[in-house]
């Protein structure tokens, strides 16, 4: 398979997000709603509307709290019919999230190391492991927790795929077409390279939503993804 494109609606308002969805039309079925839109732009209501319209919605909320709070929060998101939800990839948090999603179609994703974070940033934060080592540890913990997948840089996707096997989702943000601006991302990869490495879902926001022609930008990325088809 060539992987699935998720467009990140990293915008301030519901009106802006709906305009992007309209411009992308039938060419995109999966959308991510994160902090910016969820908290400031009526993102929860928009997500429910997109789900009702037949779209797949990924709420990128990176939950982390005591077990009961995580479990109940995940259960509430599951009730919306969302396809994906992120939590921090801590063993207790992932276990609680799995319980909250039980019996629903919601896939819980454990966030390993942010794509804007490098080895130096981890050292500053007090971690004794480099990014790849920490991703590997959390990937194994996510597998053992029995959740739906993990979020990691595509630079670690091949390693992660070997750890989690073929059934779990490997969702990769920090995707940038060749020659585009990396912005605040530090561990970026092209769409075709991400798919070749074993990513199942690619999250792309700015290269599409900030493009002069978002529809054309999405088509170009989908074409690049098709060129990176992973056979096994």
């Amino acid at each position: 398979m060539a992987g699935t494109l998720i467009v990140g609606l990293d915008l301030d308002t519901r009106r802006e997000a709906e305009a992007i969805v309209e411009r992308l039309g039938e060419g995109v079925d999966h959308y991510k709603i994160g902090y910016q839109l969820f908290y400031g732009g009526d993102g929860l209501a928009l997500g429910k509307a997109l789900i009702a319209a037949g779209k797949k919605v990924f709420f990128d909320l990176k939950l982390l709290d005591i077990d009961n709070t995580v479990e109940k929060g995940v259960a509430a998101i599951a009730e919306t019919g969302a396809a994906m939800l992120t939590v921090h990839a801590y063993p207790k948090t992932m276990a609680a999230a799995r319980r909250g999603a039980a019996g629903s179609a919601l896939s819980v994703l454990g966030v390993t190391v942010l794509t804007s974070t490098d080895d130096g940033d981890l050292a500053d934060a007090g971690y004794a492991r480099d990014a790849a080592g920490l991703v590997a540890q959390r990937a194994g913990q996510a597998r053992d927790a029995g959740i739906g997948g993990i979020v990691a840089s595509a630079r670690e996707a091949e390693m992660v795929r070997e750890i989690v096997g073929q059934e779990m989702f490997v969702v990769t943000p920090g995707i940038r077409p060749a020659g585009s601006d990396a912005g605040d991302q530090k561990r970026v990869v092209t769409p075709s390279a991400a798919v070749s490495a074993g990513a199942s879902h690619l999250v792309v926001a700015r290269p599409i939503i900030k493009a002069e022609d978002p529809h054309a930008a999405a088509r170009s990325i989908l074409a690049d993804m098709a060129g990176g088809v992973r056979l096994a």
Side-chain angles (χ1 to χ4, degrees):
M1 61 182 295
T4 297
L5 173 64
I6 302 174
V7 174
L9 296 174
D10 296 344
L11 297 156
D12 291 333
T13 68
R14 177 173 178 173
R15 178 177 296 181
E16 290 175 290
E18 288 175 333
I20 289 292
V21 172
E22 183 176 359
R23 292 187 71 177
L24 293 175
E26 298 301 317
V28 174
D29 293 323
H30 292 65
Y31 289 95
K32 177 183 78 73
I33 294 175
Y35 294 164
Q36 182 179 356
L37 187 59
F38 190 88
Y39 293 116
D42 203 19
L44 178 58
L46 172 61
K48 290 179 178 179
L50 290 174
I51 292 165
K55 301 295 186 180
K56 300 290 187 181
V57 172
F58 166 19
F59 285 115
D60 185 18
L61 302 180
K62 301 180 181 69
L63 301 183
L64 177 63
D65 212 308
I66 63 172
D67 295 358
N68 183 67
T69 299
V70 170
E71 182 176 346
K72 299 303 183 183
V74 171
I77 292 295
E79 286 291 327
T80 69
M84 293 175 169
L85 171 69
T86 48
V87 303
H88 280 274
Y90 297 169
K92 284 168 61 68
T93 300
M94 292 187 290
R98 185 196 66 238
R99 294 193 297 271
S104 76
L106 180 67
S107 291
V108 173
L109 307 175
V111 177
T112 58
V113 176
L114 301 177
T115 51
S116 61
T117 300
D118 60 17
D119 293 347
D121 296 321
L122 289 176
D124 289 343
Y127 289 95
R129 308 194 70 170
D130 62 7
L134 187 55
V135 170
Q137 178 183 356
R138 290 182 169 173
Q141 291 168 334
R143 177 200 60 211
D144 295 344
I147 63 172
I150 71 162
V151 179
S153 166
R155 292 192 180 185
E156 286 96 39
E158 186 171 6
M159 172 189 70
V160 166
R161 183 55 76 193
E162 292 178 358
I163 293 169
V164 303
Q166 297 301 312
E167 298 303 315
M168 290 177 66
F169 294 146
V170 177
V171 180
T172 57
I175 302 299
R176 293 290 185 272
S180 65
D181 182 12
D184 59 354
Q185 303 286 3
K186 295 182 178 179
R187 299 186 348 268
V188 299
V189 172
T190 64
S192 59
V195 172
S196 296
S200 60
H201 296 73
L202 278 60
V203 180
V204 184
R206 280 168 282 185
I208 292 176
I209 66 174
K210 300 299 183 183
E212 183 174 344
D213 185 342
H215 188 260
R219 286 203 317 269
S220 177
I221 289 170
L222 286 166
D224 193 22
M225 289 170 62
V229 174
R230 183 180 174 89
L231 299 178

